[in-house]
Amino acid sequence: MSLYIRRTRSGRQIRYVLRESYWNGSCFAARDIVDLGKDPAEHIVYAGGNGFYFSEAVEEAFARMGLERETEDLEQAFFLYLAPHIRRVIGNFAAGRAPRAPSWTPEESAHHQRFLHPFDKRRMHFLRCGRMDIGNLEGRTWKFLNVLCDKSRDEIEHVIEGMEKDLRPQERRNYLFTALELQKYFPSHLMKNNPAALNPEVVDAYFLEEICRLNEDSTFFTGVEDHNAQTLHAFLVKYVIMYFDHSFSPASLRDRVFADFVRFRSFSFRTPAKQNMTEEEACACLGLQPKEYRAMSVQTLTRHYRRKAKKHHPDAGGDQETFIRLSQAYECLVRRKAHRH
């Protein structure tokens, strides 16, 4: 039995459910143990000092379903909802954020990991290592993947969502680009591991294509009863929102300019556009009023830049120096917003 507390949404209402992953005879699936309401902490009863136990509702739910439970597993599931001084006694807060990984031999790990989906492996690699060039994860045993083994799809998503909370906003699109292996669509591009240097419309299209393909992948949804390949599942809807609510890291715009020069085989060294722009100069270059720019979010600014860049991109017959200056202006303004926050 693998217990965990899942945050669920019904309309505008947030509720929590104690669930378990279990073997149903053919695969790992998830089932509800007890509805914990709006606050799981209400089901923890403190007996004084460092002592505590769980509510009758929790105990009765296990008895009603004829399930045995280990106190340690239940404590792990409720860890984040315990009083701080109790957490310090059980184990430090950081250690309690992620489920414990099994202590397997390399051979045992290889046996269990063979059932993991490639999307899960790529997500975990980025979340643990932060790298976009991850190489081939197949055919090797990775200890950090053990935490996902022998779990239902729902619990795997629960574990990964907990780790995704630590992603910085500028990392989220890079994370999805890597997890969906969008690099494979740009095999000969020098900047294939730098999505900010690629055509944004093309990348967006491939992202949606891969999300739809994953939604139709029955192996990814093994053990999920409510999966319908014709409707985007909630497990993936969150990634569409994450992708279009964020932008690729602006730090890579210099690489985009370099990639353009390489692609066009342009080796005529003309006088470069002025790089140290003031805010007023950058706004003027992008056709914005300073007041208008200051009221913009980074996402709105990015959309405005993309419209301008698309119009002046050399691939579309635009002027290369104008395109470079637009990119420099955008980089300047995004950098200023980042410093202000």
Side-chain angles (χ1 to χ4, degrees):
M1 176 187 292
S2 178
L3 295 175
Y4 60 103
I5 294 176
R6 195 74 158 111
R7 184 175 182 266
T8 65
R9 180 187 293 273
S10 178
R12 294 185 178 181
Q13 191 176 36
I14 300 296
R15 298 187 71 83
Y16 295 83
V17 179
L18 178 64
R19 287 180 178 167
E20 71 158 348
S21 291
Y22 72 102
W23 181 257
N24 66 7
S26 60
C27 66
F28 282 96
R31 63 185 170 193
D32 293 353
I33 303 295
V34 60
D35 186 335
L36 300 175
K38 297 180 181 179
D39 185 3
E42 294 179 354
H43 291 268
I44 303 171
V45 182
Y46 296 98
N50 295 326
F52 67 94
Y53 57 92
F54 299 100
S55 70
E56 290 184 6
V58 173
E59 300 292 349
E60 290 174 356
F62 280 95
R64 186 169 56 251
M65 298 178 69
L67 300 174
E68 296 183 1
R69 57 92 168 171
E70 296 289 338
T71 300
E72 186 178 359
D73 292 336
L74 203 52
E75 289 178 355
Q76 178 68 24
F78 277 89
F79 186 89
L80 294 180
Y81 305 98
L82 290 168
H85 71 280
I86 301 293
R87 288 203 300 264
R88 286 193 291 272
V89 172
I90 295 178
N92 66 70
F93 179 74
R97 291 196 64 174
R100 297 182 300 273
S103 299
W104 291 326
T105 65
E107 293 74 19
E108 291 171 331
S109 295
H111 170 75
H112 290 276
Q113 289 181 18
R114 77 183 193 275
F115 298 107
L116 293 178
H117 195 278
F119 183 56
D120 298 329
K121 295 179 180 180
R122 292 193 294 267
R123 284 189 291 178
M124 282 296 292
H125 190 283
F126 188 98
L127 291 168
R128 290 297 300 271
C129 306
R131 290 175 50 198
M132 299 191 69
D133 184 7
I134 63 178
N136 183 14
L137 297 180
E138 302 301 326
R140 294 184 59 184
T141 301
W142 302 89
K143 188 175 181 179
F144 64 82
L145 293 177
N146 287 343
V147 73
L148 300 183
C149 294
D150 297 348
K151 288 179 170 57
S152 63
R153 168 53 52 196
D154 183 73
E155 187 175 5
I156 288 174
E157 295 306 311
H158 168 72
V159 172
I160 290 179
E161 284 174 15
M163 298 178 68
E164 288 171 346
K165 292 177 182 177
D166 292 330
L167 286 171
R168 293 176 295 178
Q170 64 269 28
E171 293 177 322
R172 292 176 183 176
R173 267 207 178 189
N174 289 350
Y175 166 61
L176 293 175
F177 183 90
T178 305
L180 291 167
E181 202 181 10
L182 299 186
Q183 296 97 325
K184 66 186 179 185
Y185 290 105
F186 308 91
S188 60
H189 200 295
L190 290 175
M191 314 304 291
K192 66 179 181 180
N193 289 312
N194 194 335
L198 303 172
N199 185 309
E201 286 76 17
V202 173
V203 176
D204 291 353
Y206 285 136
F207 166 78
L208 293 173
E209 182 178 329
E210 283 300 315
I211 281 287
C212 291
R213 181 177 287 111
L214 186 59
N215 193 60
E216 297 170 355
D217 186 348
S218 60
T219 60
F220 179 74
F221 288 97
T222 299
V224 178
E225 295 181 357
D226 64 344
H227 174 237
N228 178 356
Q230 303 303 313
T231 304
L232 193 64
H233 196 278
F235 292 158
L236 302 181
V237 168
K238 66 183 180 184
Y239 288 134
V240 175
I241 296 172
M242 180 189 293
Y243 182 87
F244 288 105
D245 273 358
H246 296 88
S247 57
F248 290 119
S249 173
S252 301
L253 286 170
R254 292 189 185 90
D255 294 330
R256 176 184 293 183
V257 175
F258 170 73
D260 286 332
F261 273 105
V262 171
R263 184 166 64 253
F264 303 135
R265 302 295 193 273
S266 174
F267 296 99
S268 57
F269 295 95
R270 292 173 286 183
T271 303
K274 184 179 180 181
Q275 295 189 24
N276 297 323
M277 294 184 181
T278 64
E279 181 178 298
E280 291 73 17
E281 288 174 329
C283 285
C285 184
L286 287 171
L288 296 170
Q289 294 296 324
K291 184 177 180 181
E292 181 184 9
Y293 153 68
R294 295 187 192 107
M296 281 182 166
S297 66
V298 172
Q299 291 76 21
T300 303
L301 176 62
T302 299
R303 287 194 293 270
H304 179 83
Y305 159 72
R306 284 182 176 178
R307 288 194 294 270
K308 290 279 187 179
K310 184 177 181 180
K311 179 180 178 181
H312 294 283
H313 198 287
D315 283 349
D319 178 69
Q320 185 165 297
E321 286 191 357
T322 300
F323 175 77
I324 292 172
R325 188 162 176 79
L326 283 171
S327 298
Q328 291 170 346
Y330 169 68
E331 183 178 12
C332 169
L333 295 180
V334 170
R335 189 167 55 244
R336 286 176 176 271
K337 280 191 176 290
H339 288 167
R340 285 172 181 162
H341 288 84

